[in-house]
Amino acid sequence: MGLRMANLAVLVLFASIGAVAAQYGSPDAAPGSAPPVPSPRDSVPSYISPVVAPTASPPSTATPTPPRPNPSPSAKPSLKVGYYQSSCPRAEKIIMQAVRSATSKNPGIGAGLIRMHFHDCFVQGCDASVLLDPTPANPQPEKLSPPNFPSLRGFEVIDVAKEALEKVCPGRVSCADIIAFAARDASFFLSRGRINFQMPAGRLDGRVSLFGEALTFLPPPFFNLSQLVANFKAKNLDEDDLVVLSGAHSIGVSHCSSFTGPLAPNPPAMDPAFATKVLSQCPLLSPNISGDPTVMQDIVTPDLLDSRYYTNVLKRKVLFASDAALLSSQQTSIKVLENVFMPSRWEMKFAKAMVKMAAIELKTAANGEIRKTCRVINN
């Protein structure tokens, strides 16, 4: 019944594609319209503060505002753009350089950083809990949970950025903010500059990381639409955020076990020819680190963060049941179609959704800190 409804929804949508395409043009032309990736010699993105001479506001003649009292330990931090302009003016530049270096060598690391942002915020909130290594007191942190291990990538980029930051402004920049900035910068570089936005900061790092919570709060790739909507709603994200953020599947790879294992059946609506091609890359072996190969999530533009993912959804050339689920209701099917034919609109919405997600369940001074090292809590 679900497959029949999905096919019916797609048929209804394709009946209107001619009119929409006439207005917005061909979706296949969208990737080619992206500007070239900025080189290190180009001007930095608009959201990056200059290193040497940040733009200063003209002196104010107004009466100075008295200093604010120290916030209550239970008060939630107030995120703002340019949070480190005074305390660590080079912070965003340093993080951007680490991300640019990594993604220029391997775009997949950028995809991992975007995914890390999602996996961090959905578990314990945006507090860098996903970065904590196992210890004798906590041998099973969330980074070792199946949704994260061994597939989550980019930890070394966070380490490089944190080490550089601690040299110039020790104890100032939280690991949670580094993840958020790194995901933003990865979005910028992987979209060839088309996804360009400011990320507010001021998060604190958490002290708790639990293996089981990653399984509880991260949506698995076999969720149906109602399960996905409920999962996002629990984090104050709506159905539109779900569809928009799913576009991150336009880049990166997936382990075969994510869509061929007994708990992750193939999407029922997967195009047969596509399924044959993909499954030929996935030998029927017991999943393990060495015997679990990866496949591209988007075979058309695998190294570009773009709206091509939604064309793949319409053509049923997607890996996960959760991808195919976006066509199981008329409302989400329309959103998919809009993102196909209005790529620039999706880029803006993706940026907005990333910022919205980055404010989930922030830590307070009572249960947060700024870690000296991102992999361990402070003593």
Side-chain angles (χ1 to χ4, degrees), residues 293-314:
T294 60
V295 298
M296 292 291 183
Q297 295 195 96
D298 177 1
I299 62 174
V300 181
T301 56
D303 293 335
L304 184 63
L305 178 60
D306 60 5
S307 63
R308 178 74 201 192
Y309 162 80
Y310 300 100
T311 300
N312 295 341
V313 171
L314 288 179

Side-chain angles (χ1 to χ4, degrees), residues 276-345:
T276 299
K277 180 176 181 179
V278 169
L279 294 177
S280 68
Q281 304 174 51
C282 296
L284 299 177
L285 301 175
S286 298
N288 55 62
I289 296 176
S290 60
D292 191 7
T294 60
V295 298
M296 292 291 183
Q297 295 195 96
D298 177 1
I299 62 174
V300 181
T301 56
D303 293 335
L304 184 63
L305 178 60
D306 60 5
S307 63
R308 178 74 201 192
Y309 162 80
Y310 300 100
T311 300
N312 295 341
V313 171
L314 288 179
K315 292 183 176 181
R316 300 181 295 151
K317 294 183 178 181
V318 288
L319 299 178
F320 307 132
S322 57
D323 293 324
L326 299 184
L327 294 180
S328 60
S329 81
Q330 182 178 0
Q331 185 173 353
T332 53
S333 295
I334 291 173
K335 294 179 185 297
V336 168
L337 188 63
E338 289 174 346
N339 292 334
V340 169
F341 287 100
M342 293 182 280
S344 60
R345 184 169 178 262

Side-chain angles (χ1 to χ4, degrees), residues 248-272:
H249 287 176
S250 76
I251 193 163
V253 298
S254 170
H255 283 272
C256 288
S257 61
S258 296
F259 56 91
T260 62
L263 296 179
N266 299 325
M270 183 185 283
D271 174 75

Side-chain angles (χ1 to χ4, degrees), residues 28 138 144 244 329:
D28 293 330
N138 182 26
L144 296 184
V244 168
S329 81

